[in-house]
Amino acid sequence: MAGKKVDLSVDFCGVKFQNPFLLSSSPVSNSAEMVAKAFEAGWSGVAFKTLNSDRVRIVHPSPRMNPYHYGSKRLVGLQNVEQISDRSLKDNLLDFLYLKENYPDKIIISSIMGFSNEEWAYLAKASEDNGADMLELNFSCPHMTIEGSGHKVGQANHLIEKFTETVKKAVSIPVLAKMTPNITDMTEPALYAKQGGADGIAAINTVRGLSQVGLDDWTVRPKVAGIGAISGTSGPAVKPIGLRFIADLAKCERLGLPLSGQGGIETWIDALEYILLGSSTIQVTTGIIHYGYRIVEDMIEGLSDYMVERDIERVVDLVGKALPTLQDTDKFDLESQGVASYDLDRCVGCGQCLTVCNDSAGQALEWDPLLRRPTLIEDKCLSCMVCSFVCPVSGLISYKQQPSDWQRRETAVMGEQLEAELKLAAFK
Amino acid sequence: MYDPENFQRMAKGFSLDQAVAESERCLLCHDAPCSKACPADTDPGTFIRKLRLKNVTGAIRTIKENNILGGACGVLCPADRLCEKECCATEISRPVEIAKIQRFLVEHSWERNIKVLEASESNGKKVAVVGSGPAGLSCAAELAKQGCQATIFEARPEAGGVIRYGVPSYRYDVDFLEHELQEIKELGVEFRCNAPLREAGQVEELLENGYDAVFLATGLWAASRLHPEVSNVDGLMTSVEYLASLRDEQFEALRNKIKGSTIAVIGGGSVAIDCAEAAVKLGAEDVYLVYRRSFVQMPAEEVERIEALETGVHFLLLNQPVDFVINHQQKIEGLRLVRTRLEKAKGTGRRIPKAIAGSEWVLDADIVVEAIGNQAESGSPSWYPNVDVDQNGLIQADAATLTTSVEGIFAGGDIVRGPALVVDAVNDGKVAAMAIIEYLSKKEA
Ligand SMILES: Cc1cc2nc3c(=O)[nH]c(=O)nc-3n(C[C@H](O)[C@H](O)[C@H](O)COP(=O)(O)OP(=O)(O)OC[C@H]3O[C@@H](n4cnc5c(N)ncnc54)[C@H](O)[C@@H]3O)c2cc1C
Ligand SMILES: Cc1cc2nc3c(=O)[nH]c(=O)nc-3n(C[C@H](O)[C@H](O)[C@H](O)COP(=O)(O)O)c2cc1C
Ligand code: SF4
Ligand code: SF4
Ligand code: SF4
């Protein structure tokens, strides 16, 4: 297998990226000094920290983030109240020029946020004039409080269309609209963005949430001079939400725009899942906040090896490959039933399967207290598979298809003797 | 070289982060095998689950309610052959470090001042406990929790038994012990130190002097000797004298003697290892551990043996002490040894060492420590003449209730079991306390 080459490059909205891995707009893309290191590490492009037009001075709250830990696992989620870039527009644009000069093959996506048509147009033009290869319109910052900005725009479809249209008129480079997940159906605002001329969609921005409440001071975190606020949550905890919105957008035939997926990506597997659900590029922040730019090395290597193993030459051939089998639940074949299957040679005797089967499933296990081994009563197994979720030995418990004539036993009824006391008439 | 900080203080235990990370490796087993393997029912399966679910105070409560010396056990238990031996996580990677988590939780309770135990209302019963070692402490604490007034009679100046006057400080230090004792005092247990009960019949008289029951836990404080008739030799000590001196006011004098000297320790058990390792740490020039069998036959725990080797103890195996070399000033000069060879095993028995004729030699030594076993003090049966003892002076007590042949007198710990473990002594204390409560309530009825 060694030596076999795979092509990780992608064409995204007409722009060529060396690989699908980009920094998303956040502290990890705050300055050229930092982005240069990211480019050296292997990232193919950057959505730069959202520019502002210097009209209002931006000050970040202090402190501005809070971790969501799970046991000793750090940062399964991250909450932040950071604002858009607190640097001057001039400084940011000088950094664009520097990056373009030193890393001509890397892609700069200028993330911008305006408050009026004029301001959107101004930021777009300034970006294009100073080397930006693409734009990303930030319609999605979840803690902007001003109507007509951030995710408030993302929830007002006509503004999305209007601002996108304004930007498209001002520049000729491709334009992405970055969407908020703090909404029920993302395809609707995405279609308005398309109506306004957007060339692609980036999603998701952070999910409004609360990561922690202080037990001593009864104040949520991050605590900014005594005050907490609902704000943006990111990281692995939100990946299921991100995948869901990307899949919705990719499935929407009327939309048909290329997607830049993000939300909880840390490894090549996370990235590939986003790709298989329709993203052509993926973006990362929290993964970098947790581990640094170096994670891209493992994304590149991991994805390449996967492709070599499966004889897939171009990463673009993977985009959207999981979409055909993604259907509504009414398409399920309910005749098809199975049970859990135990490979007890590898069992370590912890009995967690028993505990969860008893307390959350089919009462389908018997336990030998001396041998410390479970025995499955197959016709009581619900095939819910919760035992396999807690079993510490990977792959010990697997799903086994049952023949079509197989029958599951009914759930035991404890009150059979009490039929005389039952008060129930048939529903008409 | 001697470093007071390292000699007088034990090494640090787990931090909160380490304990939490370790608890995450626990599989939260059904009918936890670790809990079943703990001799004192400390119930690690439960306290680790509680830690895992962030119920830290609850985890501490589980330990202390089950095992009043949970800290000492966390430090001193040979957990790799107790709870950790049965750990299901072994086959995933390695056993959960249960003892270290246990020690952490106990220390955490002191650091954060988390109190989980309460004395209950007095039931008016008075119980005398003879001996303040782990068994006596555990029994008294349990009795106090049940509302009895427990009074401990201790021969020595301070409480603790072997964990004060035996185990060296670098394994279990006095601060740690004082914390554990403090909690027992807070339960209302009364301590009477410098109060030996060694007159004939004195123990049994307690029942006539206002005590409703007695728990005997006097331990094993006489040392086995190679030549019991040899006495008053400068430089010849038993493990009992030697280890106690390391923990009382004679420490400085003994340390000066050990520094730069050659020490020979006779024995292959945990106690011998403690004696030898302490000598190295105190700056002895050479420390020999003399044992007549092979390395794998040593009764000391495997980890202890390896640690002693690494500390720099010279293992002189397959050598049997024959005699002491003593000069005319009654000072020890060496140890006469004979080399041994292991005979073929008969059936499943241990291989027996046989002296090799003509192989005698003398190991020069400034100090010789005999660590060949602890036994009941020879006069001890006279303290309780009606209590049945065996030929070695060990008290005979019913396994389930620890009742002796005298109504109202119970016994446990090493004086019943022979040399055992802290965790066994703790369990005996608990079992006896429950039996005493039942005995007292029956007596009332
Ligand atoms: C050097 C050494 C190291 C050890 N290391 C470990 C270890 O690492 N882990 C482990 O689990 N176990 C270890 N043990 C074993 C453990 O310490 C004992 O099993 C345990 O201490 C027994 O407790 P006990 O309460 O029965 O007796 P002891 O601890 O011996 O306590 C008996 C107490 O009774 C007092 N006493 C005796 N006679 C009288 C009297 N007539 N009147 C009043 N008081 C009296 C004594 O002074 C003493 O304080 C070790 C033992 C030794 C000797
Ligand atoms: C397997 C499963 C089935 C559920 N079924 C229902 C349901 O029937 N009705 C309901 O109101 N919520 C249902 N829920 C949602 C839960 O009640 C709960 O609101 C949700 O899981 C979030 O809480 P959690 O994070 O503690 O799981 C279900 C959740 C799970 C995991
Ligand atoms: S959860 Fe897995 S390892 Fe544990 S008892 Fe069940 S089958 Fe065995
Ligand atoms: S046996 Fe090991 S894995 Fe199982 S509950 Fe005990 S410590 Fe946890
Ligand atoms: S008391 Fe000792 S044997 Fe029991 S659980 Fe604790 S460390 Fe293990």
Side-chain angles (χ1 to χ4, degrees):
Chain A
M1 252 197 271
K4 204 163 169 187
K5 274 272 175 278
V6 292
D7 181 6
L8 291 186
S9 74
V10 288
D11 177 308
F12 181 60
C13 304
V15 177
K16 168 127 172 154
F17 290 77
Q18 293 166 331
N19 63 48
F21 310 126
L22 322 181
L23 308 182
S24 55
S25 178
S26 75
V28 307
S29 55
N30 195 54
S31 70
E33 186 185 8
M34 298 168 76
V35 171
K37 289 181 211 157
F39 286 166
E40 299 284 353
W43 299 88
S44 72
V46 55
F48 216 79
K49 175 75 186 170
T50 306
L51 308 190
N52 85 85
S53 65
D54 305 332
R55 194 174 47 82
V56 281
R57 196 164 88 87
I58 303 291
V59 179
H60 295 305
S62 175
R64 59 178 110 156
M65 290 186 231
N66 191 63
Y68 177 42
H69 295 322
Y70 182 74
S72 69
K73 280 261 178 305
R74 310 236 143 214
L75 272 181
V76 288
L78 177 70
Q79 191 190 340
N80 85 86
V81 292
E82 180 168 293
Q83 306 293 298
I84 59 176
S85 177
D86 62 351
R87 305 174 77 204
S88 71
L89 182 59
K90 182 181 161 199
D91 288 355
N92 279 322
L93 295 177
L94 284 171
D95 272 7
F96 282 17
L97 293 174
Y98 170 86
L99 288 172
K100 257 340 285 187
E101 187 170 310
N102 291 285
Y103 301 92
D105 297 333
K106 303 285 183 180
I107 304 302
I108 296 178
I109 304 172
S110 177
S111 170
I112 59 175
M113 186 197 288
F115 292 83
S116 62
N117 268 326
E118 294 69 30
E119 196 174 4
W120 281 103
Y122 169 75
L123 288 167
K125 188 77 175 61
S127 300
E128 182 178 45
D129 289 346
N130 292 288
D133 301 290
M134 290 178 98
L135 290 176
E136 187 175 89
L137 311 186
N138 183 345
F139 294 141
S140 46
C141 178
H143 31 263
M144 297 301 286
T145 47
I146 310 162
E147 282 304 327
S149 77
H151 79 126
K152 305 267 171 164
V153 177
Q155 294 162 351
N157 295 330
H158 64 283
L159 286 178
I160 291 183
E161 182 179 345
K162 188 176 83 171
F163 292 151
T164 311
E165 201 174 335
T166 303
V167 167
K168 279 300 285 182
K169 281 197 187 123
V171 297
S172 57
I173 52 177
V175 173
L176 305 175
K178 183 165 177 183
M179 312 308 282
T180 176
N182 299 307
I183 188 172
T184 321
D185 178 6
M186 195 182 283
T187 59
E188 208 182 317
L191 286 166
Y192 277 90
K194 183 182 183 186
Q195 191 75 19
D199 301 280
I201 305 288
I204 58 173
N205 205 319
T206 52
V207 181
R208 275 168 69 76
L210 287 175
S211 54
Q212 189 187 355
V213 184
L215 301 189
D216 298 326
D217 53 15
W218 302 345
T219 304
V220 303
R221 299 290 186 268
K223 179 168 112 175
V224 181
I227 304 293
I230 295 173
S231 60
T233 309
S234 58
V238 308
K239 191 180 95 173
I241 301 170
L243 286 175
R244 169 254 156 150
F245 278 118
I246 283 296
D248 273 351
L249 296 173
K251 278 277 192 192
C252 177
E253 279 169 21
R254 274 175 61 209
L255 186 64
L257 291 180
L259 305 173
S260 191
Q262 57 203 288
I265 297 173
E266 290 183 342
T267 68
W268 67 273
I269 295 175
D270 304 323
L272 179 55
E273 288 174 318
Y274 269 92
I275 291 168
L276 291 170
L277 288 170
S279 307
S280 330
T281 57
I282 64 91
Q283 303 187 14
V284 179
T285 284
T286 308
I288 297 169
I289 289 180
H290 195 169
Y291 302 108
Y293 295 131
R294 60 192 169 159
I295 61 174
V296 75
E297 184 184 332
D298 303 291
M299 293 184 166
I300 292 171
E301 204 171 347
L303 183 57
S304 302
D305 285 338
Y306 172 88
M307 290 168 63
V308 169
E309 209 171 284
R310 264 149 237 265
D311 220 1
I312 295 161
E313 266 166 46
R314 300 169 337 135
V315 73
V316 289
D317 295 334
L318 288 165
V319 175
K321 278 289 183 284
L323 292 170
T325 53
L326 181 70
Q327 302 284 335
D328 287 335
T329 51
D330 59 5
K331 300 288 191 305
F332 289 154
D333 173 8
L334 302 180
E335 296 300 308
S336 166
Q337 291 291 336
V339 293
S341 166
Y342 285 66
D343 167 17
L344 288 178
D345 287 350
R346 294 193 288 144
C347 174
V348 301
C350 68
Q352 292 180 90
C353 51
L354 176 76
T355 301
V356 300
C357 188
N358 277 345
D359 297 357
S360 63
Q363 325 298 298
L365 292 174
E366 273 169 2
W367 182 251
D368 182 330
L370 290 176
L371 289 178
R372 295 198 63 85
R373 290 294 179 270
T375 311
L376 181 71
I377 308 157
E378 276 202 348
D379 69 350
K380 290 180 89 178
C381 174
L382 307 180
S383 74
C384 62
M385 303 306 290
V386 291
C387 54
S388 74
F389 308 158
V390 298
C391 177
V393 183
S394 306
L396 186 163
I397 306 174
S398 56
Y399 180 82
K400 183 173 88 183
Q401 182 76 36
Q402 290 296 82
S404 54
D405 59 350
W406 179 77
Q407 282 290 321
R408 183 173 286 121
R409 206 189 300 182
E410 298 282 336
T411 303
V413 177
M414 303 303 284
E416 261 171 357
Q417 315 305 319
L418 302 172
E419 187 131 9
E421 294 172 33
L422 184 70
K423 300 169 199 68
L424 176 73
F427 180 72
K428 290 182 202 85
Chain B
M1 240 314 131
Y2 175 65
D3 168 357
E5 196 51 36
N6 286 342
F7 192 84
Q8 302 294 1
R9 300 267 161 266
M10 8 189 319
K12 271 206 167 52
F14 270 171
S15 67
L16 176 61
D17 283 343
Q18 284 173 306
V20 168
E22 192 58 16
S23 77
E24 273 163 24
R25 299 202 308 105
C26 169
L27 305 176
L28 306 183
C29 294
H30 164 75
D31 193 18
C34 54
S35 292
K36 289 199 275 191
C38 172
D41 289 326
T42 311
D43 200 359
T46 299
F47 71 69
I48 296 175
R49 190 202 73 226
K50 289 184 173 186
L51 174 61
R52 191 54 182 268
L53 297 180
K54 305 193 183 225
N55 178 9
V56 179
T57 303
I60 294 165
R61 185 174 294 114
T62 296
I63 294 174
K64 293 195 182 170
E65 278 181 353
N66 293 332
N67 183 340
I68 193 72
L69 294 177
C73 287
V75 174
L76 296 172
C77 272
D80 56 344
R81 63 174 173 85
L82 301 171
C83 53
E84 293 172 13
K85 179 159 182 252
E86 300 302 322
C87 179
C88 288
T90 309
E91 289 172 66
I92 302 294
S93 50
R94 59 194 158 80
V96 172
E97 295 198 70
I98 296 170
K100 288 191 176 163
I101 294 177
Q102 182 174 310
R103 170 180 169 185
F104 161 76
L105 285 164
V106 171
E107 289 193 288
H108 189 69
S109 75
W110 299 333
E111 194 179 308
R112 303 281 169 98
N113 200 23
I114 300 169
K115 304 260 179 200
V116 291
L117 297 177
E118 274 172 57
S120 43
E121 208 139 301
S122 167
N123 60 14
K125 303 284 180 214
K126 287 177 69 181
V127 180
V129 172
V130 189
S132 67
L137 293 172
S138 158
C139 183
E142 196 61 39
L143 289 167
K145 284 195 282 180
Q146 309 280 340
C148 298
Q149 174 55 53
T151 303
I152 300 184
F153 294 87
E154 169 54 53
R156 294 175 180 257
E158 310 268 8
V162 172
I163 60 177
R164 162 123 24 205
Y165 292 107
V167 178
S169 319
Y170 54 82
R171 289 215 290 127
Y172 182 78
D173 65 33
V174 80
D175 277 1
F176 201 103
L177 173 62
E178 288 297 348
H179 271 114
E180 302 210 282
L181 290 175
Q182 182 56 30
E183 288 186 288
I184 297 169
K185 286 177 188 153
E186 282 169 16
L187 287 173
V189 172
E190 188 195 345
F191 285 80
R192 292 207 197 149
C193 289
N194 292 313
L197 300 180
R198 17 173 46 121
E199 304 295 326
Q202 209 178 1
V203 167
E204 287 168 22
E205 281 164 21
L206 290 165
L207 290 175
E208 289 137 41
N209 294 333
Y211 293 98
D212 300 298
V214 173
F215 179 59
L216 265 173
T218 43
L220 306 171
W221 288 88
S224 306
R225 300 280 319 275
L226 200 57
H227 297 295
E229 70 285 357
V230 178
S231 61
N232 285 324
V233 176
D234 184 13
L236 177 61
M237 307 177 85
T238 65
S239 61
V240 174
E241 295 158 352
Y242 170 88
L243 291 170
S245 302
L246 292 180
R247 300 206 58 165
D248 63 22
E249 65 287 344
Q250 297 168 67
F251 172 70
E252 281 303 328
L254 182 57
R255 179 167 84 83
N256 286 330
K257 237 169 141 175
I258 289 173
K259 202 170 134 194
S261 307
T262 297
I263 322 289
V265 176
I266 307 171
S270 302
V271 176
I273 297 265
D274 275 342
C275 296
E277 213 172 69
V280 174
K281 287 178 197 277
L282 290 174
E285 175 81 16
D286 283 293
V287 179
Y288 294 90
L289 189 70
V290 181
Y291 183 55
R292 62 201 172 112
R293 301 169 197 256
S294 72
F295 186 76
V296 289
Q297 288 174 313
M298 297 177 82
E301 308 288 338
E302 189 186 347
V303 277
E304 294 173 336
R305 280 182 270 149
I306 291 171
E307 211 181 273
L309 268 177
E310 285 182 350
T311 313
V313 175
H314 313 310
F315 279 48
L316 208 47
L317 302 167
L318 299 171
N319 268 284
Q320 180 157 349
V322 182
D323 213 345
F324 308 113
V325 182
I326 300 166
N327 68 15
H328 47 270
Q329 283 141 353
Q330 283 295 295
K331 185 176 176 335
I332 201 101
E333 289 201 322
L335 191 56
R336 195 179 318 280
L337 301 171
V338 61
R339 291 181 46 216
T340 66
R341 151 182 334 121
L342 295 179
E343 298 223 299
K344 277 217 159 56
K346 292 199 185 73
T348 52
R350 281 221 285 187
R351 295 180 67 185
I352 310 285
K354 266 273 162 1
I356 302 174
S359 67
E360 283 198 14
W361 65 291
V362 171
L363 171 70
D364 292 339
D366 307 304
I367 299 174
V368 172
V369 180
E370 292 184 85
I372 52 177
N374 289 11
Q375 36 177 281
E377 285 183 50
S378 56
S380 56
S382 72
W383 311 338
Y384 30 79
N386 295 301
V387 172
D388 286 351
V389 298
D390 70 8
Q391 71 278 10
N392 297 319
L394 298 183
I395 295 176
Q396 310 224 282
D398 176 73
T401 60
L402 299 177
T403 357
T404 66
S405 52
V406 175
E407 192 185 311
I409 299 187
F410 300 75
D414 282 4
I415 190 63
V416 172
R417 293 170 178 265
L421 297 173
V422 174
V423 67
D424 293 318
V426 167
N427 196 55
D428 283 358
K430 281 204 301 184
V431 167
M434 298 323 281
I436 288 170
I437 301 279
E438 191 171 314
Y439 163 74
L440 294 178
S441 65
K442 274 207 189 114
K443 209 166 86 169
E444 198 138 273

